[in-house]
Amino acid sequence: MAETDRRTAESRQRRADRSSATIRDVANRAGVSVATVSRALNGIGPMTEETSQRVLTAVKALEYIPHAAARSMSIRRSNTICVLLPEVHGEFFSELVSAMDFAARNRGHHLLVSSSHNDASEMSAVLKALRGRVDGIIVMSPESSPGALLRSLAAEIPTVLLNSSARGLPSIEIDNFTGARAMTGHLIGLGHRRLAFIGGPAHNADARERRKGFQTALEAAGRSRNGMEIEGDFTEASGYDAVRKMLSARSRPTAIFAANDAMAVGAMFALREAAVPLPAGMAIAGFDDIPIARYLTPQLTTVRVDIPELGRRAVERLLTDVEMPAERSKARKELIGTTLAIRESCGSPRDARTG
Amino acid sequence: MAETDRRTAESRQRRADRSSATIRDVANRAGVSVATVSRALNGIGPMTEETSQRVLTAVKALEYIPHAAARSMSIRRSNTICVLLPEVHGEFFSELVSAMDFAARNRGHHLLVSSSHNDASEMSAVLKALRGRVDGIIVMSPESSPGALLRSLAAEIPTVLLNSSARGLPSIEIDNFTGARAMTGHLIGLGHRRLAFIGGPAHNADARERRKGFQTALEAAGRSRNGMEIEGDFTEASGYDAVRKMLSARSRPTAIFAANDAMAVGAMFALREAAVPLPAGMAIAGFDDIPIARYLTPQLTTVRVDIPELGRRAVERLLTDVEMPAERSKARKELIGTTLAIRESCGSPRDARTG
DNA sequence: CTGTTAGCGCGTTCAC
DNA sequence: GTGAACGCGCTAACAG
């Protein structure tokens, strides 16, 4: 009896506190034990239809909502995954996060997003706070390879790398090299002999692969092709600056391949500003195929990456590891292919004369 | 002794399990109590330098990381906030989320992102899973006003609305009306008499306010101005379609005001495709000032919204409510001002003749 | 200054 | 079919 009194008192206090009801409040109201409430809610074990109804009624009446922290404490599962991103700018990331969130929610998981991690120490701080908070981690850190902390954490929490140099960890990567090589080949096939490449940051893994693809295609085509390279930082502004420099050089290229669409946009703007007709006066290509690419004038020819697919696959793979700890996927590297989206921005170098 | 044995055994088992050490493991290794470990880690209460060091050493040796769920269970705080978004497409959202994440992290909070909520029932499901998981919620739901669930949940968990019709809940909103009115006024000032407005979805609050701003400015300028309206859905594609329809109409406008930049981009593309010179043949204006706006040709004149500021303020306000439950901010509505970013895309209607 | 203990809210063996 | 009791990992009184 003393027990019952105390519970009632607690219950009253909670309501005054604006705190919502606990499983015990529900049990009291339904006249059953907390165990029964738990079972009724989770559909575990056989149970009288009547008891079940009584519980459900009490739940409704009290507007009971299970406490996530308490729940994950017992079941040792938070139903949350985290995605650690470098910097979140431009359409690429909104597409990616959107797809990940969708995939995660479809499998009953929440998505914790943490961005602006170009700094390793800053990333460590976040990683440490993740234990007991998430069931799995997706790390996109093209600027720096995963540190020791991530490795040791990955032993406990399933981790998948995205476009990051992987050593000992499962990863999913865009096939940057092949895509860039193909686009460069396309440009060469169009007859271009002087090609320029606007690259990403030197220490960025994606950027490096794309540059290698460019170089490889150039070499394969023989010495007669000249390639010049300018480093950008994946922003529109850097694409703009790159072209400004390029135009003041004595030997102009006839085609420009930007390592991502944002830089291509900046490049196109600089070209227009300099009254270079597009695509007649200069071919321009990008990488990513962000949604806006096809709405530019001329429509941007670019290396198409299925961004939603990339996000979806990363989540699927992670959750498989989360749900089947027994057979964790090894450090397998999975490659996401690219295709060429040939649109209007790349003509042949002869166009400058004929058209 | 039996006690000690058990703990040691547990510890061993954990290591075999790949689960990391608990606070008790640390206490054992350091030869202190769990309370001391807790205090040392959280810097609570006075303590011998030596004890503190012993604890820290043990923490390092065991690679101990506190368990977030357990911690939030005791302190009744998760240090996580959630942002519920409608659909996440385009640069607007990446800028917003990025800013929110930054602001949240600066104040020691994590960010849970949940998008694609255009459906109310779907949103309810997510909301329910939030109890015990987050300390506060930011809801951006311009398509539908907050339901009963959000209201009752808001009684327990601090909530801030973003660009949503608010009743009884604190909110932060872009001053859509004033911004749209100002831009329309600018267009009229340029001499335009036939204006077209490409609006957002009819049931979208932002869209409605922007349309009202357009209409109000038109009315204020007198009857002589004609306004036509076409409904879009905030995507590039809908802006494109709107212009196609417009061009086939008998009376063409001389200026188009799109309710957001994405639609303006689509509109510009359709105009170019129809060989309408910009800005000479048609003035075009947008809303949002997404980063890419200034890299379009011509540079897009648009209503500038300080997106990062919007995100930052929403987080700041929410966390203030979280940290000072005593004086929760009332259902006050906070307005974020806009400014006109006058660039190149809007000429006067005479340009068509003279230029 | 430090250790003991009682919860936080829920899931889950075991008896009954 | 149902309930009592314990544990998840940590913090916050209260003792000492």
Side-chain angles (χ1 to χ4, degrees), chain B residues 130-152:
Chain B
L130 257 32
R131 192 169 100 87
R133 196 186 297 275
V134 302
D135 298 334
I137 309 175
I138 294 175
V139 179
M140 181 165 186
S141 158
E143 306 277 316
S144 58
S145 62
L149 175 62
L150 183 55
R151 279 184 157 52
S152 81

Side-chain angles (χ1 to χ4, degrees), chain A residues 298-320:
Chain A
Q299 295 185 70
L300 185 64
T301 286
T302 186
V303 179
R304 173 164 177 69
V305 176
D306 193 339
I307 306 174
E309 172 71 4
L310 179 66
R312 198 186 62 71
R313 292 221 343 228
V315 169
E316 293 291 342
R317 177 130 176 234
L318 180 64
L319 290 184
T320 299

Side-chain angles (χ1 to χ4, degrees), chain A residues 16 38 55 77 90 96 103 112 119 180 191 193 239 246 257 275 282 348 353:
Chain A
S38 174
V55 171
R77 254 332 202 64
L96 186 67
L112 200 64
D119 179 46
R193 292 295 174 272
M246 219 172 271
F257 179 17
M282 181 81 77
S348 94
R353 285 175 258 150

Side-chain angles (χ1 to χ4, degrees), chain B residues 14 23 38 42 64 67 71 74:
Chain B
R14 282 213 187 80
I23 196 172
S38 174
N42 298 312
Y64 169 71
H67 193 279
R71 186 159 206 275
S74 317

Side-chain angles (χ1 to χ4, degrees), chain B:
Chain B
M1 280 306 264
E3 181 70 354
T4 302
D5 285 351
R6 218 193 69 214
R7 282 180 188 166
T8 307
E10 275 182 22
S11 179
R12 287 224 186 84
Q13 193 189 345
R14 282 213 187 80
R15 290 186 98 49
D17 262 352
R18 283 197 307 214
S19 301
S20 45
T22 73
I23 196 172
R24 293 181 45 177
D25 296 324
V26 176
N28 282 147
R29 196 176 218 278
V32 297
S33 74
V34 292
T36 300
V37 175
S38 174
R39 282 186 294 245
L41 260 35
N42 298 312
I44 308 289
M47 184 174 331
T48 314
E49 177 63 22
E50 195 222 319
T51 341
S52 169
Q53 279 307 324
R54 281 231 308 283
V55 171
L56 261 39
T57 306
V59 165
K60 280 240 172 70
L62 266 37
E63 293 185 308
Y64 169 71
I65 298 179
H67 193 279
R71 186 159 206 275
S72 56
M73 183 98 266
S74 317
I75 64 179
R76 323 183 72 71
R77 264 312 212 73
S78 61
N79 286 335
T80 302
I81 60 177
C82 174
V83 51
L84 251 54
L85 300 168
E87 258 186 84
V88 171
H89 281 120
E91 289 193 277
F92 183 89
F93 292 102
S94 47
E95 295 298 305
L96 187 66
V97 170
S98 174
M100 284 184 172
D101 172 60
F102 187 76
R105 191 141 28 88
N106 272 348
R107 294 188 50 166
H109 280 253
H110 292 257
L111 191 67
L112 199 64
V113 174
S114 197
S115 48
S116 309
H117 298 289
N118 281 326
D119 180 45
S121 75
E122 182 191 6
M123 190 166 117
S124 294
V126 172
L127 277 173
K128 276 193 200 138
L130 257 32
R131 192 169 100 87
R133 196 186 297 275
V134 302
D135 298 334
I137 309 175
I138 294 175
V139 179
M140 181 165 186
S141 158
E143 306 277 316
S144 58
S145 62
L149 175 62
L150 183 55
R151 279 184 157 52
S152 81
L153 200 60
E156 183 184 356
I157 307 179
T159 301
V160 167
L161 259 33
L162 209 62
N163 281 26
S164 304
S165 41
R167 292 197 219 313
L169 291 177
S171 74
I172 295 192
E173 300 179 43
I174 294 172
D175 193 350
N176 290 305
F177 176 81
T178 307
R181 192 181 53 182
M183 178 58 85
T184 307
H186 171 68
L187 258 20
I188 291 174
L190 250 28
H192 293 283
R193 292 296 175 271
R194 292 195 306 283
L195 310 190
F197 182 74
I198 305 179
H203 46 299
N204 182 296
D206 289 315
R208 274 203 305 267
E209 288 301 306
R210 290 173 193 183
R211 182 158 56 83
K212 272 170 55 181
F214 171 73
Q215 293 169 337
T216 302
L218 228 53
E219 283 159 20
R223 295 237 179 72
S224 59
R225 279 79 182 176
N226 293 319
M228 70 183 284
E229 294 175 15
I230 296 191
E231 184 178 320
D233 65 2
F234 284 151
T235 65
E236 286 92 352
S238 72
Y240 176 84
D241 293 341
V243 167
R244 300 280 299 175
K245 278 180 207 151
M246 220 173 270
L247 293 180
S248 61
R250 59 217 165 296
S251 167
R252 266 197 205 182
T254 61
I256 298 174
F257 179 16
N260 79 342
D261 287 351
M263 292 196 295
V265 167
M268 283 173 72
F269 184 71
L271 256 13
R272 272 265 171 58
E273 200 179 62
V276 175
L278 296 181
M282 182 81 78
I284 172 102
F287 203 114
D288 281 350
D289 195 20
I290 57 179
I292 215 176
R294 70 192 64 204
Y295 287 102
L296 299 173
T297 307
Q299 295 185 70
L300 185 65
T301 285
T302 185
V303 179
R304 174 165 176 67
V305 176
D306 192 339
I307 307 174
E309 170 72 5
L310 179 65
R312 198 186 61 71
R313 285 198 23 205
V315 170
E316 293 290 342
R317 178 129 174 233
L318 181 64
L319 290 184
T320 299
D321 283 5
V322 167
E323 280 155 17
M324 310 174 69
E327 36 180 309
R328 286 255 193 102
S329 66
K330 306 303 179 196
R332 192 165 46 90
K333 175 195 284 195
E334 197 172 326
L335 233 45
I336 300 266
T338 61
T339 55
L340 254 38
I342 307 297
R343 296 202 264 253
E344 309 168 343
S345 66
C346 299
S348 94
R350 299 189 324 168
D351 293 352
R353 284 174 259 152
T354 61

Side-chain angles (χ1 to χ4, degrees), chain A residues 325-346:
Chain A
E327 37 182 306
R328 285 253 194 106
S329 65
K330 307 300 180 199
R332 190 165 47 89
K333 176 195 283 198
E334 196 172 327
L335 232 45
I336 300 266
T338 61
T339 55
L340 254 37
I342 307 295
R343 296 204 264 252
E344 309 168 343
S345 67
C346 299

